[in-house]
Amino acid sequence: MIEAAADITEDAFLGGQLLLKQKRSGHRAGHDAILLAAATQAQAGDRVVDLGAGIGTAGLALARRVAGISLSMVEIDPELAGLARANAAANAIAAEAIVLDVTADAPAFAAHGLVPDSVDVVLMNPPFNDPARHRGSPDPSRHTAHVASEETLHAWVHAARRILRSNGVLTLIWRADGIAEVLAALSRGFGSLVVLPVHGEAGKPAIRVLVRAVKGGRAPTRLLPGLMLNEESNVPKKEVRDILEGRAVLPLAEP
């Protein structure tokens, strides 16, 4: 059930190309989802799954850029899944929203048509804050969206590996200081990794990593030059504005 209109805002993404309704409180869609979409490689005809889709931001942003994909948005929260479904319809994007725990077993996924080896592209923005260093929000949906357990990333990567076909591509975003966890989670079944560090400010450590991995890939891992989000004046760089407004993509999305 979607909350009353007073509890919902409508916000513009991709420079106004995408209008999304989301809850006024709790987890709010932001730059991470748009960067994830801009890092995801897809083409018309691909079957694409957005795991932990929330209100659909990343998957719908990808669908706005790449026409003709078949998009499924998987979300554990029925209310958020309802918003994702409504957002797809409001933006005239053909997509389905599935209420499902990403950590569910193979039969649960299959019951929704997500059988093993059936998907071309998976993108995901899992909860990634370390509970040992991050005080979780008292808002349950915000806590679920932000805070990871020790098993979160492995469980989400396992789900992606199961549904992806051979040579299918997974793109994910994670906190930069957890890169070792990402590499460990992807060490089984994935290869041909491409890693893009994302820095908030010049001279500061990266705050995010975007990673593309191929199921069964064998190419060496590549570390790309870092993406700097802001100028020294704390204003977003022009290349970043172009990405956030849907005029450009990140190198991971390029063939």
Side-chain angles (χ1 to χ4, degrees), residues 117-163:
D117 307 309
S118 65
V119 171
D120 300 293
V121 176
V122 171
L123 64 159
M124 64 186 193
N125 179 10
F128 56 54
N129 285 319
D130 184 344
R133 290 179 292 172
H134 180 86
R135 178 177 294 178
S137 169
D139 182 284
S141 67
R142 191 176 180 87
H143 186 280
T144 299
H146 287 183
V147 180
S149 73
E150 291 184 2
E151 299 302 319
T152 296
L153 185 58
H154 283 275
W156 283 52
V157 168
H158 175 72
R161 182 173 58 244
R162 187 175 60 219
I163 61 175

Side-chain angles (χ1 to χ4, degrees), residues 198-211:
V198 179
H199 299 257
E201 302 175 41
K204 297 288 183 69
I207 56 173
R208 300 283 187 270
V209 285
L210 286 153
V211 183

Side-chain angles (χ1 to χ4, degrees), residues 31-32 35 197-208 226-244:
H31 289 177
D32 281 1
L35 291 175
V198 179
H199 299 257
E201 302 175 41
K204 297 288 183 69
I207 56 173
R208 300 283 187 270
L227 174 70
M228 196 68 59
L229 295 181
N230 297 315
E231 304 278 8
E232 291 184 3
S233 58
N234 212 32
V235 175
K237 293 173 70 72
K238 181 184 183 304
E239 64 176 305
V240 174
R241 292 199 305 272
D242 287 344
I243 290 163
L244 296 178

Side-chain angles (χ1 to χ4, degrees), residues 185-201:
L186 294 171
S187 65
R188 182 183 170 208
F190 286 97
S192 305
L193 274 59
V194 183
V195 181
L196 174 66
V198 179
H199 299 257
E201 302 175 41

